[in-house]
Amino acid sequence: MTLGPAINMNPETIAAQAAHQIDPATGAVAPPIYLSTTFERDPDGEYSRGFVYSRSDNPNRHALENLLALLEGGDSGEAVAAAFASGSAATGTVFQALAPGDHVIAPDDCYHGTARLLREVFAPWGLETTFVDMTDADNVRQAIRPNTRMIWAETPSNPLLKITNIAEMAEIARSAGALCVCDNTWASPMLQRPLDLGADLVVHSTTKYLGGHEDVTGGAVVSKADTEFFRRVRLIQNLYGAVPSPFDCWLTLRGIRTLHVRMPAHCANAGRIARFLHDHPNVAAVHYPGLPDHPGHDTAARQMADFGGMLSFQVAGGKDAAMGVAANVRLFVRATSLGGTQSLIEHRASIEGPDSTTPDDLLRVSVGLEHSDDLIADLAQALG
Ligand SMILES: *Cc1c(COP(=O)(O)O)cnc(C)c1O
């Protein structure tokens, strides 16, 4: 797989051409899917073509990792990426690359699977975590301990759309000798580039906007350079083998080709819906960073190209009223996940379970690519 002249190109060009990775054997413009689990060794014992065994590396995964590194890495040309079977596998690998006894600072509002990994898997393993409200950087400064090795940010956050200042987190991490990691799933590299803002690593659930069509589960870790920490991520990727299949990689790569066209449409639709909900008498609160009265609006405007396709809102009348709205929608699909072409709506507290801290009148919306008039008409009839 040859890597074309993608460095220093605009992200739109890199995405549309999937980093110009023309198949060297045939010239195929759309890449073939390499199902082979094993690769031929040279007579002298070398592997001059670069591949040995598919758990360790595979041409489709290689292509996807190159593309993700270019999209998140900006102009440095030094970023590297590792693809995983899910966003959760990518997240778990980053924590596992730390050592027992290390301390992590994580946001109080983050993907509930990330919080559960820290509490239920990594706490017994010996990783210490402090959950703080990262919208105030002083909370993070106060949580620093001598053994703090990582500040984990997620912005916009799930499901309250809290905005964390990435440059500030990177600065605090640097002065503490810790790494700054940003879960960039909700923004995607088209809206936000944490590595350019000083973060050391980016984590993705590629299941969401990158794949973009609700048909492939995956994840990735992108590092600003091939650091010692990233080499540990690679080691765990190889030894644990939580790797995506060649077809999963192919589908994700195919999704990314239109990311730059999909994201502005998601954002435009979400902005219109947020304004509609904001003015609706049966809506108690709307959480969308594009609204000028959102507490993270100014920070989001500085670090994001646009405000994203995710929002949540609280229904006047409490949990039953919120469940009623979710029951009455006709066009929105009642389902978890996000980032696909179809709009989804979800009562978040009940999917997160009994330890959820999400308000029980809250509905989370992944705004899709339908016409916004149709989406607004559906919400209008459901809200009554
Ligand atoms: C979905 C999601 C994850 C987990 O990814 P999976 O692919 O479902 O394992 C992690 N972080 C965020 C922000 C997510 O939305």
Side-chain angles (χ1 to χ4, degrees):
M1 209 58 70
T2 53
L3 183 61
I7 291 169
N8 293 330
M9 290 202 171
N10 289 299
E12 292 80 359
T13 307
I14 297 171
Q17 297 207 353
H20 202 80
Q21 296 172 95
I22 307 296
D23 180 50
T26 62
V29 173
I33 301 173
Y34 292 89
L35 292 175
S36 186
T37 55
T38 188
F39 298 85
E40 189 184 31
R41 198 169 180 180
D42 303 333
D44 61 1
E46 296 297 306
Y47 283 98
S48 59
R49 287 163 287 193
F51 298 100
V52 178
Y53 183 62
S54 253
R55 170 162 47 74
S56 310
D57 202 1
N58 163 281
N60 294 100
R61 202 171 91 211
H62 199 76
L64 174 62
E65 289 175 343
N66 275 328
L67 179 56
L68 289 167
L70 286 167
L71 288 177
E72 282 290 359
D75 294 337
S76 82
E78 286 178 25
V80 282
F84 289 87
S86 68
S88 302
T91 300
T93 299
V94 169
F95 295 141
Q96 201 152 32
L98 294 167
D102 287 350
H103 175 240
V104 177
I105 302 174
D108 60 354
D109 187 60
C110 68
Y111 177 65
H112 78 296
T114 302
R116 287 192 61 191
L117 265 176
L118 286 165
R119 288 200 179 100
E120 297 175 35
V121 177
F122 286 99
W125 183 71
L127 206 62
E128 298 168 19
T129 306
T130 308
F131 293 94
V132 300
D133 179 356
M134 285 195 180
T135 59
D136 182 350
D138 280 340
N139 294 336
V140 180
R141 284 188 196 97
Q142 280 156 19
I144 295 280
R145 298 180 192 167
N147 58 338
T148 303
R149 292 286 169 269
M150 185 172 285
I151 297 176
W152 180 281
E154 180 186 318
T155 181
S157 75
N158 181 5
L160 288 172
L161 282 293
K162 288 187 180 181
I163 299 297
T164 296
N165 186 321
I166 299 169
E168 221 166 23
M169 293 304 120
E171 187 49 46
I172 298 170
R174 196 173 310 118
S175 50
L179 294 169
C180 175
V181 185
C182 183
D183 183 335
N184 202 29
T185 299
W186 279 30
S188 93
M190 289 302 163
L191 302 185
Q192 179 170 276
R193 303 247 223 131
L195 301 183
D196 286 350
L197 296 165
D200 300 286
L201 295 136
V202 164
V203 166
H204 274 288
S205 168
T206 60
T207 315
K208 315 296 170 49
Y209 288 105
L210 289 160
H213 296 76
E214 286 150 351
D215 55 11
V216 56
T217 301
V221 178
V222 189
S223 171
K224 68 176 177 196
D226 193 10
T227 58
E228 200 183 316
F229 187 86
F230 184 76
R231 285 195 286 278
R232 233 183 126 62
V233 167
R234 269 264 184 257
L235 180 80
I236 297 166
Q237 181 199 36
N238 184 23
L239 294 182
Y240 261 30
V243 291
S245 76
F247 186 45
D248 289 351
C249 296
W250 189 94
L251 277 173
T252 305
L253 186 105
R254 180 207 173 93
I256 292 172
R257 288 179 190 268
T258 55
L259 180 66
H260 57 298
V261 189
R262 289 184 281 112
M263 288 317 293
H266 283 294
C267 294
N269 274 357
R272 273 205 72 201
I273 290 173
R275 287 188 292 278
F276 161 78
L277 292 169
H278 188 261
D279 296 336
H280 198 287
N282 295 345
V283 172
V286 183
H287 307 284
Y288 184 66
L291 293 173
D293 60 6
H294 185 284
H297 176 73
D298 291 345
T299 304
R302 258 180 280 126
Q303 69 187 15
M304 299 176 77
D306 203 338
F307 301 103
M310 292 299 296
L311 58 88
S312 60
F313 65 102
Q314 293 174 250
V315 180
K319 180 181 177 185
D320 291 345
M323 294 298 260
V325 172
N328 286 335
V329 289
R330 294 174 196 149
L331 204 53
F332 281 83
V333 181
R334 277 180 303 279
T336 194
S337 198
L338 59 119
T341 62
Q342 313 189 67
S343 292
L344 308 179
I345 193 163
E346 175 176 52
H347 183 255
R348 194 67 199 158
S350 50
I351 197 92
E352 290 180 347
D355 61 345
S356 167
T357 54
T358 299
D360 66 3
D361 58 357
L362 180 138
L363 296 174
R364 192 185 82 177
V365 174
S366 170
V367 181
L369 300 180
E370 304 90 339
H371 198 294
S372 58
D373 287 351
D374 298 333
L375 295 172
I376 287 172
D378 190 30
L379 286 173
Q381 66 79 25
L383 279 161

